[in-house]
Amino acid sequence: MTKYIKIAGLLLMQVFVTGRLFAQHRTQVTRASLLEHKVDSVLQLMTLDEKVGQMNQYNGPWAATGPLTNDDKLLDQVKSGKVGSMLNVTGVKRTRELQQLAMQSRLKIPLLFGQDVIHGYRTIFPIPLGEAASWDMNAIEKSARVAAIESSASGVHWTFAPMVDIARDPRWGRVMEGAGEDTYLGSAIATARVKGFQGKGLGNTDAVMACAKHFAAYGAAVGGRDYNSVDMSMRQLYETYLPPFKAAADAGAATFMNSFNDLNGVPATGNKLLQRDILKGQWNFKGFVVSDWGSVGEMIPHGFAKDNYEAAMLAANAGSDMDMESRSYINNLARLVKEGKVKMAVIDDAVRRILRKKFEMGLFDDPYKFSNEEREKQQWNNTANYEVAKDMARKSMVLLKNQNVLPLAKETHAPRIIGLIGPFAKAKSDHLGFWSYDWPDDSSRIVSVYDGIQQKTGANTRLFYAKGCNINDTVRSGFNEAVTVAAQSDIVIITVGEARDMSGEAKSRSNIHLPGVQEELVKAVVATGKPVIVLISAGRPLIFNWTADNATAVIYTWWLGTAAGEAIADVLFGDYNPSGKLPMSFPLSEGQLPVYYNHYNTGRPAKNDDDRFYRSAYTDLSLYPKFPFGYGLSYGKFDYSDITLSNKNPKGNTTVTATVTVTNNGNYDGEETVQLYIRDMVGSVVRPVKELKGFQKVFIKAGESKTITFTINTELLKFYNDQLQFNWEPGDFEIMIGTSSADVKSVMLSWSK
Ligand code: BGC
């Protein structure tokens, strides 16, 4: 009897669950069709000129992030419905003013305000490449969340982030904006950042629309020179460069931005394969695509379009829905439609996509929804946000070297002098990084490294300071003072690096050594014989071989943002045990570039640096980067056991577990990022020497061990063959687990069909 009651109960439950799911589905369907209905009802009212207006985006009159066209008719155009969106308009006051103008247009379609909120808005977070070094998806999501909360409170609807370009060449200044060289890590970060920006979903007042950029392959610009061409196989595109974009689309990114580069001879902006076939076709993306700044017009110098008329035609037909700043659409699209060069259906599709987002954001209900003075004020000096930024900054630092000097004691019994030297020691805004705002009252919020250290140390510690030199200078006149300070000190901390505008857009550099005379300053200070801790603040992997070889300790701090000083002090004095791991390989010299861990083996691989006879190697340079992908130390010491596999001969679509025990044999509790790499030994196309396929961040107390298990399934073994089919092939696989891409345990398994 009880059995029947149970069955009846289960059936009822099923009916209930199915009913609820159905109801949920129905609500979603109704909501979706209601949205489409609303979009269509607006579209029907629009003239062709008004439609083209929605596809037009202008930079606001206050700040610019690209070559600006002066336009004194700009505001009139907003009033007459000729502008669908604006960028670089921030703050409740300005966004409200401009929205009021848009409300004077015939159809009162609200403007969308877009902004490069790349690593924080009011509270500046570490640059994305730095955050990537945390390998901490929750923290990264939180960082994007705070950026969304702060910027949305200032009238911003839409951030031009995340940048998800895979980048293997640190000469490219924009590596700072991305997640580094690896596709797997990059995809996970793309997801986390989209989720963070969009929060609980568009329509919430603290959610901003994300924009995955730059579609696509911009990170592969030849020679790391910005805006340069990209030529790559479709296989490489699908395998290495597209997955983070796909991840962003799957996470619900509202928009995409195309890119400046041409891909195999076709500028991304006029690239139908990328925008129509892959993004809107294969991936079924329902958001809209904005061009990059002026990139529609730039198809003329590319040699792809004769004039703006042709450029507008090519871009619109290829699927670029909105023209950022080139004015090609506003000046030509209506005529192109009338002359039959662009179909009305193309325009309608683009406008629908844009209107859909405006509806989803709730702007038709309340165009001033995001322009609320009270909220803006609340977020302006939000100390909770500062704490989130500090946490992110601590997690982003990478300890590259430590010869038993770190962490420093906060207090000593005997008097102690710490010498603090270098151009970043008292700097404030230089810690902010390229895509950040220097608000007028910012400096009170930014804590310098000097202040951070001073807050930490007790009465027996004195802090001596000398700048030594400027960041990018040839002047050595401050060296003497720096050497004197070092000679008087018990321990020296030197801060060196790049100025905040040395990495970023249009900041490609052929020489990525520490700028100016900074490494000479390090040499002069090291010559005093004192223990020297070097902090490097930069937007990209720099070259600093002498420093790495001769300093006592090195911490890579990237550009850490508003909380840099306190976060750095936390790491120096052991209040936080560093856990960052490099998301990019650090080269030995520029001649080694591009250098990345997941390369092919070639037909003549060198076994090591002594094996050069007719080998794929430089005769005058090591095979190995200075610091490999995935590398980073801790104050703990993590030792790995051998790998145990649940099955060495799996068959078909099954799973295998790979297990290691990691022991913290150091004296400090700490976090380790355990990394899983796989190599497919033989494929119908050659496979990389290893590929990251999983990672887990684990906290292990000193003296304790943790067992870490990865589940490997055939999904992880898949790759694109030369027909662009994504599948796995049976054969031998090397399974590697370790602390960096260059330090792993390994075991073989053989997987049959
Ligand atoms: C950059 C984009 C940015 C846009 C707007 C362009 O120059 O490439 O990444 O979002 O400007 O500032």
Side-chain angles (χ1 to χ4, degrees):
M1 185 66 181
T2 42
K3 191 169 143 203
Y4 291 113
I5 293 175
K6 255 192 202 157
I7 291 174
L10 277 175
L11 279 174
L12 257 178
M13 175 100 117
Q14 212 164 22
V15 170
F16 175 69
V17 170
T18 322
R20 213 176 49 186
L21 284 180
F22 181 70
Q24 255 174 21
H25 175 70
R26 211 179 41 198
T27 329
Q28 272 164 13
V29 171
T30 339
R31 228 183 265 145
S33 45
L34 187 64
L35 175 68
E36 292 313 309
H37 184 74
K38 286 180 180 171
V39 168
D40 280 340
S41 63
V42 175
L43 194 71
Q44 272 171 22
L45 302 174
M46 295 172 81
T47 63
L48 176 57
D49 283 343
E50 283 164 338
K51 289 178 184 176
V52 171
Q54 286 304 303
M55 298 169 70
N56 181 35
Q57 186 189 52
Y58 284 152
N59 192 80
W62 296 284
T65 45
L68 197 60
T69 312
N70 284 325
D71 190 343
D72 51 10
K73 302 255 164 22
L74 196 140
L75 301 182
D76 289 340
Q77 294 186 53
V78 175
K79 265 199 261 181
S80 54
K82 293 211 161 69
V83 186
S85 169
M86 299 194 79
L87 72 150
N88 289 321
V89 178
T90 56
V92 165
K93 194 168 163 285
R94 287 172 178 174
T95 50
R96 189 171 273 275
E97 269 170 33
L98 281 168
Q99 199 67 291
Q100 274 163 352
L101 292 184
M103 289 303 114
Q104 294 177 35
S105 65
R106 190 180 75 94
L107 291 176
K108 304 188 181 355
I109 300 177
L111 287 168
L112 272 177
F113 296 111
Q115 185 74 17
D116 292 283
V117 182
I118 309 289
H119 48 108
Y121 179 71
R122 164 67 175 163
T123 309
I124 303 301
F125 279 71
I127 56 167
L129 187 63
E131 291 194 354
S134 74
W135 296 52
D136 186 327
M137 299 310 120
N138 290 333
I140 292 173
E141 184 178 332
K142 235 182 185 176
S143 151
R145 188 85 287 279
V146 168
I149 291 171
E150 289 188 353
S151 57
S152 65
S154 270
V156 173
H157 304 140
W158 175 21
T159 173
F160 302 130
M163 185 189 101
V164 300
D165 297 314
I166 295 300
R168 293 168 161 176
D169 192 332
R171 288 174 298 181
W172 192 47
R174 300 199 78 167
V175 298
M176 61 146 296
E177 285 174 64
E181 76 188 36
D182 184 66
T183 304
Y184 184 93
L185 181 63
S187 301
I189 292 175
T191 305
R193 288 169 63 75
V194 169
K195 281 208 238 156
F197 287 131
Q198 299 191 169
K200 293 214 170 74
L202 306 189
N204 288 291
T205 8
D206 65 359
V208 294
M209 299 199 299
C211 180
K213 69 187 192 185
H214 305 83
F215 198 60
Y218 184 38
V222 173
R225 210 185 70 209
D226 214 357
Y227 316 119
N228 210 356
S229 296
V230 175
D231 208 315
M232 68 165 62
S233 73
M234 289 311 285
R235 231 176 45 67
Q236 167 106 147
L237 178 72
Y238 269 87
E239 192 162 293
T240 308
Y241 289 85
L242 290 186
F245 286 102
K246 176 71 166 53
D250 289 347
T255 69
F256 266 51
M257 184 187 289
N258 58 36
S259 54
F260 290 123
N261 57 287
D262 73 270
L263 176 66
N264 304 334
V266 179
T269 309
N271 200 310
K272 180 176 163 296
L273 171 74
L274 284 173
Q275 301 176 107
R276 287 234 184 265
D277 301 348
I278 297 178
L279 179 63
K280 294 176 179 173
Q282 291 168 26
W283 298 355
N284 198 21
F285 174 70
K286 294 281 181 249
F288 69 86
V289 180
V290 62
S291 80
D292 204 346
W293 182 296
S295 68
V296 177
E298 286 175 19
M299 293 200 290
I300 304 166
H302 265 294
F304 191 70
K306 197 166 71 204
D307 49 26
N308 286 91
Y309 174 82
E310 208 173 277
M313 173 185 80
L314 291 166
N317 285 337
S320 295
D321 301 309
M322 188 181 275
D323 172 9
M324 183 192 288
E325 261 300 317
S326 96
R327 288 160 169 74
S328 304
Y329 282 8
I330 196 70
N331 293 330
N332 298 286
L333 265 187
R335 196 180 121 210
L336 280 159
V337 173
K338 284 175 197 143
E339 291 173 0
K341 303 270 176 50
V342 172
K343 292 205 171 71
M344 195 60 157
V346 166
I347 305 290
D348 283 349
D349 175 59
V351 176
R352 262 200 194 93
R353 287 169 182 273
I354 295 163
L355 292 179
R356 203 179 280 143
K357 293 302 158 201
K358 293 186 174 183
F359 272 112
E360 285 178 20
M361 292 292 284
L363 293 172
F364 277 98
D365 297 330
D366 178 4
Y368 307 106
K369 185 173 162 182
F370 294 80
S371 305
N372 175 323
E373 248 163 39
E374 205 41 52
R375 269 185 74 216
E376 185 173 55
K377 228 187 272 160
Q378 266 171 21
Q379 294 304 330
W380 202 245
N381 277 318
N382 184 328
T383 48
N385 293 351
Y386 176 87
E387 289 305 317
V388 182
K390 184 162 114 182
D391 184 54
M392 189 74 249
R394 303 192 317 178
K395 290 179 165 146
S396 303
M397 279 176 258
V398 185
L399 178 64
L400 296 176
K401 182 179 183 183
N402 183 18
Q403 290 179 327
N404 293 323
V405 64
L406 290 169
L408 301 173
K410 284 185 206 158
E411 185 53 305
T412 45
H413 291 302
R416 168 182 68 169
I417 296 173
I418 296 180
L420 188 51
I421 293 171
F424 288 83
K426 288 199 171 175
K428 291 204 164 179
S429 58
D430 272 316
H431 291 285
L432 297 184
F434 188 82
W435 289 101
S436 54
Y437 310 91
D438 216 348
W439 305 110
D441 58 345
D442 230 9
S443 54
S444 59
R445 289 190 98 206
I446 307 170
V447 181
S448 69
V449 178
Y450 184 95
D451 292 339
I453 292 177
Q454 199 163 47
Q455 282 170 20
K456 251 330 143 195
T457 46
N460 276 343
T461 300
R462 289 170 70 199
L463 209 49
F464 285 6
Y465 164 77
K467 188 170 184 189
C469 64
N470 290 318
I471 295 171
N472 194 12
D473 212 339
T474 48
V475 179
R476 296 172 183 77
S477 54
F479 279 25
N480 277 347
E481 190 196 0
V483 169
T484 309
V485 162
Q488 290 167 342
S489 304
D490 299 293
I491 192 138
V492 181
I493 299 169
I494 304 195
T495 62
V496 290
E498 285 184 308
R500 75 191 272 198
D501 61 353
M502 291 181 83
S503 279
E505 185 178 345
K507 304 296 176 203
S508 295
R509 285 171 58 204
S510 65
N511 173 353
I512 55 168
H513 280 65
L514 269 175
V517 291
Q518 293 180 100
E519 195 154 46
E520 287 180 43
L521 176 68
V522 177
K523 286 183 188 172
V525 171
V526 168
T528 61
K530 297 297 168 88
V532 176
I533 299 160
V534 182
L535 306 174
I536 303 178
S537 302
R540 51 152 70 91
L542 290 175
I543 296 167
F544 47 93
N545 299 330
W546 193 94
T547 300
D549 294 342
N550 296 283
T552 323
V554 181
I555 307 175
Y556 216 74
T557 67
W558 316 102
W559 288 323
L560 287 181
T562 310
E566 291 193 339
I568 288 173
D570 278 353
V571 165
L572 287 172
F573 293 93
D575 284 336
Y576 182 80
N577 184 352
S579 64
K581 301 274 189 180
L582 297 177
M584 271 188 96
S585 308
F586 274 44
L588 265 181
S589 77
E590 291 88 355
Q592 207 179 29
L593 296 172
V595 60
Y596 50 96
Y597 83 96
N598 48 353
H599 54 82
Y600 294 148
N601 203 36
T602 81
R604 291 195 183 185
K607 283 194 210 70
N608 52 48
D609 279 343
D610 297 326
D611 178 29
R612 297 184 198 257
F613 192 64
Y614 287 95
R615 293 288 166 209
S616 179
Y618 294 108
T619 55
D620 57 352
L621 189 60
S622 168
L623 289 169
Y624 309 107
K626 186 70 187 166
F627 296 105
F629 173 82
Y631 173 84
L633 302 172
S634 158
Y635 299 151
K637 181 179 176 299
F638 300 108
D639 294 318
Y640 283 64
S641 72
D642 286 336
I643 304 171
T644 313
L645 292 179
S646 61
N647 182 357
K648 285 196 165 179
N649 296 293
K651 227 175 134 77
N653 207 1
T654 182
T655 58
V656 172
T657 57
T659 305
V660 288
T661 302
V662 183
T663 305
N664 183 352
N665 286 320
N667 297 322
Y668 298 87
D669 303 346
E671 271 183 303
E672 165 72 337
T673 300
V674 183
Q675 300 158 40
L676 166 75
Y677 296 89
I678 300 182
R679 176 176 183 183
D680 186 343
M681 301 307 291
V682 178
S684 59
V685 291
V686 294
R687 308 302 308 136
V689 293
K690 55 177 66 116
E691 292 174 281
L692 183 73
K693 292 291 178 181
F695 59 87
Q696 292 180 39
K697 207 163 174 172
V698 286
F699 180 80
I700 311 179
K701 287 195 161 159
E704 292 190 358
S705 299
K706 273 208 175 135
T707 301
I708 314 297
T709 299
F710 289 99
T711 302
I712 301 168
N713 55 28
T714 49
E715 245 348 91
L716 290 189
L717 310 180
K718 287 184 176 173
F719 61 88
Y720 287 93
N721 67 15
D722 60 355
Q723 301 301 311
L724 290 185
Q725 291 154 335
F726 189 58
N727 229 324
W728 67 284
E729 295 173 359
D732 292 339
F733 296 87
E734 186 180 4
I735 307 298
M736 293 160 268
I737 300 180
T739 186
S740 83
S741 64
D743 185 358
V744 290
K745 297 279 182 176
S746 116
V747 61
M748 296 300 298
L749 69 71
S750 179
W751 208 308
S752 52
K753 264 281 181 216

